[in-house]
Amino acid sequence: MKRIILILAIILSAAVTAGAFEKGYEKRVEAYAFAGLTDYNKSLFGVSMVNGWRITPSSYVGLGVGYEYSDILYVIRMKGNQSAPQHMFPVYGEYKFNFHPETVSSPFLVVDAGWVFNTNGEDKEGIDTKSAYGLMASARYGIDVSVGDNLRVTCSVGPRIQHIRVTEKYSQYGKWEYRFLHNYLTSICAHIGLIF
């Protein structure tokens, strides 16, 4: 009986420590979607890649780049608002902390902050359709699950804020006037990816 318990303990110990994070270079690719970006947009989808360094088995710092697409409001008019497709390129720094890096399933907290570039131009009336750009930040809670040698699946959820600028077009003294409205969008984002 003691042998069986000892063998089970060794197998369980090996299963728990399999796939432990090691210090060194690490990369991740992700796909993600956002929901709840107030009244300014319909949806947002993105893909990204993060390259970085695991300083300790728990702590990771990296630099991420990606592509995001959304249909976001860019002008407010008296006779109806208008949205335009946004093509955005985020560049951001990341800090990630794994709570149990020695286990097969490791919960984590990740914080991102950076800048979003937008390639939009003007519409036929000369109004800038670039709406979502500038400062962005997010914090997510998730879990990394080992699925093989040096391969993990990662899932996370959390809030994100993003700067937005909307043009308001209004009539004053018989002519059209424009003003910019600056705001921050708040959303809930869900990420899924691979660490390799």
Side-chain angles (χ1 to χ4, degrees):
M1 183 66 171
K2 288 182 181 179
R3 281 187 187 171
I4 294 173
I5 292 174
L6 181 60
I7 291 170
L8 288 174
I10 291 170
I11 291 170
L12 183 60
S13 175
V16 166
T17 59
F21 283 110
E22 296 179 6
K23 294 190 283 186
Y25 173 71
E26 183 180 296
K27 56 190 173 290
R28 180 178 77 246
V29 292
E30 288 185 315
Y32 50 92
F34 294 4
L37 286 174
T38 64
D39 296 329
Y40 292 105
N41 91 312
K42 296 177 182 173
S43 59
L44 193 151
F45 304 97
V47 292
S48 67
M49 181 165 192
V50 181
N51 289 272
W53 196 262
R54 189 159 289 277
I55 303 165
T56 69
S58 292
S59 295
Y60 172 83
V61 291
L63 180 66
V65 294
Y67 169 76
E68 297 174 350
Y69 171 85
S70 184
D71 191 9
I72 294 180
L73 180 69
Y74 76 93
V75 65
I76 298 172
R77 301 174 188 269
M78 293 174 60
K79 294 183 178 179
N81 301 334
Q82 284 187 263
S83 298
Q86 307 284 309
H87 300 280
M88 300 166 287
F89 300 90
V91 178
Y92 55 93
E94 176 179 285
Y95 175 75
K96 181 180 177 188
F97 184 83
N98 285 85
F99 294 100
H100 301 290
E102 73 284 355
T103 61
V104 172
S105 300
S106 176
F108 66 84
L109 181 65
V110 64
V111 178
D112 298 328
W115 199 263
V116 174
F117 298 92
N118 192 317
T119 61
N120 280 37
E122 297 179 343
D123 67 10
K124 60 185 177 184
E125 296 180 18
I127 299 173
D128 191 355
T129 64
K130 180 168 59 178
S131 186
Y133 65 92
L135 181 66
M136 63 77 81
S138 71
R140 300 184 312 279
Y141 184 74
I143 189 163
D144 294 330
V145 179
S146 178
V147 292
D149 292 341
N150 301 317
L151 184 65
R152 286 181 176 254
V153 173
T154 180
C155 301
S156 61
V157 176
R160 171 175 156 163
I161 60 168
Q162 169 67 57
H163 170 264
I164 187 171
R165 183 194 73 185
V166 177
T167 303
E168 183 179 29
K169 182 179 180 181
Y170 62 97
S171 178
Q172 184 163 339
Y173 308 117
K175 66 177 187 174
W176 289 107
E177 298 286 341
Y178 301 89
R179 67 179 163 211
F180 294 131
L181 306 176
H182 292 269
N183 206 338
Y184 281 92
L185 303 176
T186 303
S187 65
I188 299 297
C189 51
H191 291 235
I192 186 166
L194 287 174
I195 299 171
F196 55 99

